[in-house]
Amino acid sequence: MLLGLYRYVSGYLDIQVSGERPERLVNLAVEAGMDLWNLHWRGARVYGRLLLRDFFAVRPLCRQAGCRVRVRGRHGLPFLRQRVLRRRALLAGALGCLVVLLWLSSHVWLVEVRGTAFVDARAVRQALSGLGLRPGAWKGRLHLAEVERRLPGVLPQITWAAARLQGTRAVVDVVERYSLRALPPVRRVDVVAGRACTVQRLVVFSGHPRVREGEAVTPGQVLIEGGVYIRSAPAPVLPGFPRPEPDLLLRPTVAEGQVIAQCTAVREFSVPLYREERVLTGHQRQRLHLRLGTRTWLVGGEPPFAAAETQRRGLAVAGWRNRFGPVELQLVTMREQRVIRHPIPLEAALQEVQNRLLAQLAWRLAPGDRVLRAVPEVVRRDADTALVRTVVETLEDIGRPVSVHVEPPE
Amino acid sequence: MEARRDWRHRLTSIFDLPGDVVLDLARVTLIGDVQMAIENHRGLVEYGPDRMVVSVPRGCLQITGADLVIGSITPEEIILQGRIHGLQFADSSAQRG
């Protein structure tokens, strides 16, 4: 293959040898170090192939051997180049096409988000757009590792992200912080308490209730049992007495119902009584790193600032698709920052705590649940921070389905 | 001369040396009846579509066949392609037939 490539790049000719002794010409050419191949007879002549550079040297040998050589075909890069240079418009079109193709393939044109179930993929795309990963972004400026690192900070509902480029498409796999799994098909499912609360209202759609309204329950306690019960004996109806409960299990079932309970929780936060602002001082330093594969060495530069904003610029051989060169020079520019602390009034800090708490609750609670009380109180306070305790009372559905293994009937 | 050749033969067999190198012989490799490689040749004597004679040390090698094509030829090796029917070693007096 390499030999064929070399011949194509050098250019070669189809030749026709006529004369008395073509063997003599072949022997002379081989002795002179010429490359001859594909020699064959057709009619009364020998045909073969010869490198372009050997053609002018073969003429004296022809005279010596009493043969005549005629060119029947021209192949290879030198002839292709000649043909292409004659068609300048075609060449310009091909070059333009190549440039457009390169330009188009060096941008991201589609951002695909995978792994979302509860979080809207559009919200993830918007967050990615804020981090620079958007349709039309130049791939050379993308730092996917940085996007992966910063996305969970921008979108708290995301706990992990992995981004990769597939041609002009960026695929971002995300894992949500909270997710529900579909229950496997089982024959018996109980509804148990998810938290320690006091039952306020119990509505059973299917199954057998095991708690009463006003009863305090603990986490894991069965609230509605997944079973259909009947009475083992006819129940006498006595005026003034409740009817006895069914006591014989007929068959298991999937319990369904709504258990609304009042839950109380105490949350403590340590909140700062100041807000930090970072202001650029105008001082700037640079460092040079050398990256070889996954390892990085400091080549030179000045020591870093205590607080600084860093910008990293890579100098490497241009990558192609997802492949990047193993060697990269990284110029890190550090701009010094001065941290200024602005005091915050205690009321504002408490409001901030309450807002944060309500946001957390809004994420955890179901649409029908309500927050009854969430008032923060200062427990301890010093110069910079305050310890805030908040008693949170909620009215929520605490029922959680739990599958129970049932032995099959013999 | 014969004694010297006999000595070389013995040396080759004792030390298990390649005969084509020590005895200066042509190495002919045949792949089925479609390709033949002749190493250590001395040039073409005769070439035709159904008969070819190659000069080798101590004589000539005559190849008969059909549609014989020289795939490549270098001072060290000839690659012959086509339908090979037979080959015969002859002394150096073999002429165009």
Side-chain angles (χ1 to χ4, degrees), chain A residues 7 20-24 26-27 30-31 33-41 43 46, chain B residues 41-49 51 68-76 81 96:
Chain A
R7 285 168 175 168
E20 282 293 309
R21 298 289 306 275
E23 304 91 1
R24 186 163 160 71
V26 171
N27 285 334
V30 169
E31 276 173 25
M34 293 179 187
D35 190 8
L36 278 174
W37 72 97
N38 203 22
L39 291 169
H40 57 281
W41 276 89
V46 173
Chain B
H41 68 92
R42 295 283 182 267
L44 284 178
V45 176
E46 185 190 330
Y47 173 49
R51 184 171 181 272
L68 296 179
V69 174
I70 296 175
S72 76
I73 178 165
T74 62
E76 293 81 29
Q81 291 159 345
R96 180 191 289 256

Side-chain angles (χ1 to χ4, degrees), chain A residues 78-91:
Chain A
F79 301 108
L80 181 72
R81 184 171 160 269
Q82 261 188 347
R83 280 203 298 273
V84 167
L85 284 178
R86 260 184 263 143
R87 300 175 179 178
R88 289 181 189 278
L90 180 71
L91 185 66

